[in-house]
């Protein structure tokens, strides 16, 4: 069934676990992620990111996700990832999204607060939830990149001030996590995550989930991470499956192989994010 971040993150908090936010980039990946989540009997967040939007797929992916979510027994959130503007938030809400991220992390702090407030008004009017971001996610993905000359680490004073100014439903934090493939081991600042968790009144989100080793994922969950975004590994799994069967020359042999790879990876991530508590 379709639901919002509020319900699934409350479940995650109760279980001291994290909910996966898998990016969906085509119909087959939507089918595969829903299948994996149903087999694991676990909530899932379907995230539509900037590359899919740029590829003209916002409404198409929203429709696919809603058809499958409405038939599914598990809680499914349809979430705009890294929303770049209030116009994008409006477009997503008009397509039936049940949750939106407004990514004001590159704006001056007070502008991030203001745009998050506006997005919250719009989302609440549609019965949807909102994720915001403080600090920056390193790396590059879907044209979202971080200028390495600029600070990235979330500041506790900003979290306190942000939470006083606007009550969102989830807060993505920059702790050294990066979009895309990590060059070497991720260098996550768990001390900063712990400090933020101690003062945050809303569930925390870890972006750049691809390539983070299991022990670091479990440590992040123990320090308050309740939503973990994974895009790159899902995309690569699908392509890997296709290419594995390219010799078959048969479309559905290749497509089903891609779907099988996504199902397997999604189940592996869900199992990890359950953190042994579900
Ligand atoms: O917004 C998307 C996520 O942060 C995905 O990051 O591609 O490194 O898994 P990832
Ligand atoms: Zn992200």
């Amino acid at each position: 069934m379709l639901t919002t971040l509020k319900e699934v993150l409350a479940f995650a908090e109760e279980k001291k676990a994290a909910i996966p936010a898998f990016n969906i980039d085509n119909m087959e990946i939507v089918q595969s992620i829903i299948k994996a989540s149903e087999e694991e009997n676990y909530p899932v967040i379907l995230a539509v990111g900037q590359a899919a939007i740029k590829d003209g797929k916002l409404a198409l992916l929203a429709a696919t996700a809603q058809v499958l979510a409405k038939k599914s027994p598990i809680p499914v959130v349809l979430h705009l990832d890294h929303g770049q503007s209030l116009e994008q938030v409006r477009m997503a809400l008009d397509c039936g999204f049940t949750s939106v991220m407004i990514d004001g992390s590159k704006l001056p702090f007070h502008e991030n607060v203001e745009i998050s407030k506006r997005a919250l008004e719009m989302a609440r009017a549609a019965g949807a939830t909102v994720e915001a971001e403080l600090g920056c996610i390193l790396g590059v993905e879907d044209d979202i990149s971080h200028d390495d000359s600029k600070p990235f680490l979330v500041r506790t004073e900003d979290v306190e001030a942000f939470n006083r100014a606007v009550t969102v439903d989830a807060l993505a934090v920059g702790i050294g996590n990066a979009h895309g493939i990590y060059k070497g081991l991720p260098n996550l600042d768990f001390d900063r995550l712990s400090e933020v968790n101690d003062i945050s009144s809303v569930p925390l989100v870890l972006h750049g989930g691809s390539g983070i080793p299991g022990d670091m994922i479990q440590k992040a969950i123990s320090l308050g991470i309740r939503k973990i975004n994974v895009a790159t590994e899902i995309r690569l799994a699908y392509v890997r499956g296709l290419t594995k069967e390219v010799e078959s020359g048969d479309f559905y042999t290749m497509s089903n192989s891609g779907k099988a790879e996504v199902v397997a990876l999604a189940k592996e991530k869900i199992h990890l994010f359950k953190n042994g508590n579900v």
Side-chain angles (χ1 to χ4, degrees):
M1 81 266 328
L2 268 175
T3 187
T4 72
L5 279 188
K6 191 171 183 61
E7 288 79 14
V8 300
L9 297 186
F11 171 78
E13 178 59 30
E14 177 202 331
K15 300 292 184 185
K16 299 300 178 228
I19 308 297
F22 294 120
N23 279 64
I24 53 174
D25 290 281
N26 67 14
M27 195 184 299
E28 290 76 7
I29 290 176
V30 184
Q31 290 174 298
S32 307
I33 288 172
I34 293 272
K35 176 174 164 52
S37 306
E38 288 177 351
E39 289 176 4
E40 288 289 327
N41 189 30
Y42 199 63
V44 70
I45 299 162
L46 302 176
V48 177
Q50 296 304 309
I53 294 170
K54 202 179 223 176
D55 203 29
K57 292 181 181 176
L58 184 75
L60 288 170
L61 290 169
T64 304
Q66 287 169 79
V67 164
L68 293 176
K70 283 172 183 164
K71 288 191 301 187
S72 177
I74 56 151
V76 178
V77 182
L78 177 56
H79 181 73
L80 169 67
D81 191 29
H82 287 289
Q84 295 296 297
S85 66
L86 294 176
E87 291 73 23
Q88 252 191 18
V89 167
R90 168 52 52 214
M91 280 163 44
L93 294 170
D94 290 349
C95 286
F97 278 63
T98 60
S99 184
V100 292
M101 177 181 188
I102 183 71
D103 182 353
S105 58
K106 290 183 177 54
L107 299 172
F109 177 80
H110 70 283
E111 289 182 32
N112 189 357
V113 168
E114 285 314 307
I115 199 170
S116 299
K117 279 181 178 173
R118 295 281 307 283
L120 195 62
E121 282 163 24
M122 294 162 71
R124 286 294 187 265
T129 44
V130 174
E131 174 185 343
E133 180 172 319
L134 286 175
C136 292
I137 315 302
L138 301 172
V140 181
E141 184 166 274
D142 292 9
D143 292 348
I144 294 170
S145 61
H146 174 71
D147 173 354
D148 289 340
S149 67
K150 297 229 173 75
F152 62 85
L153 210 48
V154 59
R155 301 184 333 151
T156 50
E157 54 270 40
D158 286 348
V159 174
E160 279 179 324
F162 193 88
N163 282 343
R164 275 197 305 273
V166 56
T167 306
V168 293
D169 302 286
L171 184 62
V173 289
I175 58 167
N177 43 324
H179 284 138
I181 301 296
Y182 286 91
K183 298 173 186 71
L185 271 180
N187 180 20
L188 304 184
D189 190 327
F190 289 111
D191 291 340
R192 182 58 54 90
L193 176 58
S194 180
E195 290 160 16
V196 167
N197 186 43
D198 288 345
I199 57 170
S200 172
S201 50
V202 295
L204 300 177
V205 182
L206 183 67
H207 281 243
S210 292
I212 296 182
D215 60 330
M216 290 190 188
I217 291 287
Q218 290 179 328
K219 185 162 186 178
I221 293 172
S222 72
L223 293 174
I225 292 291
R226 296 290 174 257
K227 170 177 178 276
I228 302 174
N229 288 36
V230 178
T232 301
E233 279 193 72
I234 290 286
R235 292 168 174 168
L236 292 178
Y238 181 68
V239 172
R240 186 170 59 244
L242 289 182
T243 43
K244 235 165 62 175
E245 292 296 344
V246 72
E247 293 302 314
S248 73
D250 175 71
F251 173 83
Y252 278 98
T253 302
M254 288 186 268
S255 177
N256 289 334
S257 174
K259 287 162 78 172
E261 289 284 334
V262 173
V263 170
L265 176 74
K267 290 178 79 171
E268 185 189 305
K269 295 293 183 187
I270 291 167
H271 187 71
L272 179 61
F273 297 173
K274 281 180 176 179
N275 201 27
N277 299 332
V278 181

